[in-house]
């Protein structure tokens, strides 16, 4: 039964994404596309590096799920786990008619390079507001490609060598803690931990999620996030 539900969900998302790929892309605010690829790309000290649906390898085919209530500037940042690739660009949503699963204009010069990164080696982070803000909130659900691996969303975390957990409410309003796991393979400059949780649990929590970190028995202040969901 569970497999059937996941299959139906994946089919619906797949249909929407395929349709979106033929539609007008979300346009960049600036004509210059901001991206870097080298071994010395500066990495943000932000804890959250990415938030996206767990999907297969089509890194240059990106999609954002934009609710009707989203308007103004949104930021799209993409970075590789090893820190060699980073892009940060702003897009303009003019009114509430721009919504649904939409492909942002992404004119990368490094498609052949970043296509090599697998599903956990390239993180997408999209949120409302300027890319310059240090604290992010109002996250948009993003995807690499139009075929899902599962009904999971993945948070990519720069842990600072701490233990990481997600906290969200269940259907009864009680705290539900999800343990995150350290990525073991390869260079981990931009992020080193991934947290997986089903999209159904995100919806049950009404998009309210907190990142918890613990190091040497001491808890850091929680990072509260709001995930924008279709109504």
């Amino acid at each position: 039964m569970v497999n059937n539900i996941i299959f139906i969900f994946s089919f619906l998302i797949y249909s929407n994404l395929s349709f979106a790929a033929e539609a007008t892309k979300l346009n960049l605010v600036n004509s210059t596309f901001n991206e870097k690829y080298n071994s010395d790309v500066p990495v943000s000290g932000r804890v959250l590096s990415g938030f996206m649906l767990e999907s297969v390898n089509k890194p240059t085919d990106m999609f954002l799920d934009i609710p009707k209530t989203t308007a103004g500037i949104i930021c799209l940042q993409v970075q590789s786990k090893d820190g060699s690739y980073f892009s940060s660009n702003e897009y303009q949503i003019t009114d509430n008619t721009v919504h649904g699963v939409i492909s942002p204009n992404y004119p990368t010069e490094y498609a052949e390079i970043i296509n090599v990164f697998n599903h956990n080696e390239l993180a997408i982070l999209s949120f409302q507001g300027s890319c310059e803000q240090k604290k992010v909130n109002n996250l948009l659900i993003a995807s690499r490609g139009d075929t899902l691996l599962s009904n999971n969303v993945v948070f990519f975390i720069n842990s600072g060598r701490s233990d990481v957990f997600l906290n969200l409410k269940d259907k009864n309003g009680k705290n539900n803690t999800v343990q995150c796991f350290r990525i073991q393979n390869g260079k981990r400059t931009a992020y080193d931990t991934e947290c997986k949780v089903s999209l159904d649990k995100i919806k049950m929590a009404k998009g309210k999620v907190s990142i918890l970190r613990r190091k040497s028995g001491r808890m850091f202040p929680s990072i509260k996030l709001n995930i924008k969901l279709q109504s």
Side-chain angles (χ1 to χ4, degrees), residues 117-131:
F117 296 121
N118 69 27
H119 67 278
N120 73 349
E121 292 178 333
L122 196 70
I124 303 173
L125 182 64
S126 184
F127 52 89
Q128 284 185 281
S130 167
C131 291

Side-chain angles (χ1 to χ4, degrees), residues 177-197:
T177 301
V178 177
Q179 184 176 5
C180 305
F181 295 93
R182 198 70 56 88
I183 298 171
Q184 299 297 330
N185 298 324
K187 187 177 179 181
R188 290 150 282 172
T189 302
Y191 56 90
D192 59 6
T193 300
E194 60 180 348
C195 313
K196 294 183 183 181
V197 62

Side-chain angles (χ1 to χ4, degrees), residues 6 100 187 206 215:
I6 292 176
K187 187 177 179 181
K206 299 181 180 179
K215 187 174 183 179

Side-chain angles (χ1 to χ4, degrees), residues 9 53 75 85 96 104 109 147 150 159 173 183-184 186 192 222-223:
F9 175 84
L53 286 163
C75 175
Y85 178 82
N96 289 341
E109 296 180 6
T147 304
S150 68
S159 74
I183 298 171
Q184 299 297 330
D192 59 6
S222 64
I223 299 173

